[in-house]
Amino acid sequence: MNKRRLRAVIAIAVLVLTVYLFTRYFIDHPEYWHQLAHVSRWTVLWVILLNIAMLGVLVLMCSATIALCGKRISYKENFILTSYSSIVNFFGPLQSGPGVRGIYLKTRHQIRLRDYTFASLLGLGFFAFFSALFLLVGTRPWWQTVGALIVVSGASWAVLRWFKKRDTHAKESQFGLRSGPLAALFILAFVQVAITVAWYYIELRAVNPHIHFSQAMSYAGAANFSLFVSLTPDAVGIREAFLVFSQHIHHVSTGDIVSANLIDRASYILFLGLLFLLVLSLHAKDRLQLTKLRRSAAQANQQ
């Protein structure tokens, strides 16, 4: 009974905190909604649809990461976990969503936190590789692109090797470089970066119809690298700084950067709000089914 009460208190606290954070964010950033009011509804709709596609990719990437650790979870559990961690990722600093997933998987499915972290770092390495590719391939000479890919690949390998060497209980590891999940993670990382290109292109075209697709590719690559040093919620200020410092690559003006980012965050907040309501409804549905089962069991016992 005490455990049930504690879970209920925690669930209510999480709900209240999430609603508070959304409300507070809206109050502190009213310019997002003013900007959104002047943007075509089709632009907002396409960005939200691409965010839905991105969520699907993240769910599949989570499955591949877990498979590298020798485990599996149901699609529904994966979807709810990924959705919650996406909300946490927006409000929490240092991309805290993966940490939430790691702790949950360790507690619920006995996946070593070090195994999950190593698999996640592998996925981040693929993400960094394709982000570097998109950053340079559209606007810079081929030799600069190849050189950057070599540097990114070397840095990723060094981080993975360093992390692996620090595992003092390697014999307990269930991680394995399984070909299927590894190939899936590589392909999904490419799709993930490609989707960011698509939605940034839509946002940039909404504020400047003369933006080229090659500029959007470089712009997306630069924006993606800001996630590695995300010290603020949704990398507010960090992403803009990365984009301004890389203007000599993508050639997007500062005014367009600011306007496109306003559209991006306003649309994403709207998406997260809808996602939060969906997750709540899924939990409510489960709770209703559980209540029905309890009632059926009670009636059977009485008979």
Side-chain angles (χ1 to χ4, degrees):
M1 184 63 70
N2 289 333
K3 287 183 178 180
R4 288 180 183 176
R5 288 178 181 175
L6 180 60
R7 289 176 183 175
V9 170
I10 293 173
I12 294 172
V14 170
L15 173 61
V16 172
L17 179 61
T18 305
V19 172
Y20 168 78
L21 288 172
F22 271 116
T23 305
R24 189 74 226 174
Y25 205 85
F26 296 157
I27 294 172
D28 291 343
H29 300 85
E31 68 275 13
Y32 289 176
W33 300 111
H34 296 320
Q35 178 72 22
L36 202 61
H38 296 89
V39 176
S40 168
R41 295 179 180 178
W42 287 107
T43 298
V44 177
L45 178 61
W46 275 113
V47 173
I48 290 176
L49 289 175
L50 286 169
N51 274 291
I52 293 172
M54 177 66 80
L55 180 64
V57 171
L58 292 176
V59 169
L60 294 175
M61 292 185 77
C62 186
S63 293
T65 303
I66 293 170
L68 287 172
C69 300
K71 299 282 187 175
R72 289 184 180 182
I73 65 173
S74 69
Y75 181 81
K76 184 176 181 180
E77 182 182 7
N78 189 350
F79 173 77
I80 293 174
L81 176 61
T82 304
S83 299
Y84 271 135
S85 61
S86 296
I87 295 172
V88 171
N89 234 19
F90 182 85
F91 292 111
L94 297 174
Q95 294 295 295
S96 44
V100 171
R101 288 197 296 270
I103 294 171
Y104 173 87
L105 292 170
K106 178 184 178 182
T107 305
R108 187 70 181 268
H109 296 281
Q110 293 74 53
I111 295 177
R112 288 180 76 224
L113 192 56
R114 184 164 284 274
D115 285 351
Y116 179 76
T117 303
F118 186 80
S120 298
L121 287 174
L122 192 59
L124 284 174
F126 293 151
F127 179 77
F129 177 87
F130 288 119
S131 294
L133 174 65
F134 279 65
L135 172 65
L136 299 174
V137 71
T139 58
R140 309 304 296 177
W142 68 268
W143 59 270
Q144 291 184 10
T145 303
V146 173
L149 292 179
I150 293 172
V151 170
V152 170
S153 299
S156 299
W157 178 82
V159 170
L160 289 168
R161 187 168 179 268
W162 172 83
F163 187 83
K164 194 70 173 176
K165 279 189 172 182
R166 291 176 63 87
D167 189 355
T168 56
H169 301 282
K171 293 181 179 179
E172 300 175 4
S173 175
Q174 294 178 306
F175 177 87
L177 292 175
R178 299 167 176 87
S179 58
L182 189 63
L185 197 61
F186 183 80
I187 295 170
L188 289 167
F190 173 82
V191 176
Q192 182 184 19
V193 177
I195 290 175
T196 63
V197 173
W199 87 42
Y200 284 137
Y201 181 62
I202 291 171
E203 292 165 358
L204 288 169
R205 293 279 293 185
V207 298
N208 184 352
H210 300 294
I211 293 290
H212 297 290
F213 188 75
S214 58
Q215 289 178 276
M217 290 173 62
S218 298
Y219 181 97
N224 288 341
F225 274 108
S226 69
L227 297 176
F228 291 95
V229 288
S230 181
L231 303 175
T232 57
D234 198 35
V236 173
I238 306 296
R239 185 202 297 169
E240 287 81 357
F242 268 68
L243 290 169
V244 170
F245 288 143
S246 59
Q247 276 182 310
H248 64 286
I249 300 177
H250 54 69
H251 304 295
V252 177
S253 69
T254 303
D256 289 344
I257 291 172
V258 173
S259 298
N261 275 274
L262 288 174
I263 296 172
D264 181 80
R265 291 202 171 88
S267 301
Y268 191 58
I269 292 171
L270 184 58
F271 164 74
L272 286 181
L274 296 172
L275 181 62
F276 181 64
L277 293 176
L278 175 60
V279 172
L280 279 182
S281 68
L282 289 174
H283 274 198
K285 185 177 180 181
D286 288 344
R287 193 175 184 83
L288 286 173
Q289 290 176 349
L290 184 60
T291 303
K292 290 178 181 178
L293 288 173
R294 286 176 178 171
R295 287 177 180 173
S296 299
Q299 291 175 358
N301 289 332
Q302 290 174 359
Q303 294 174 355

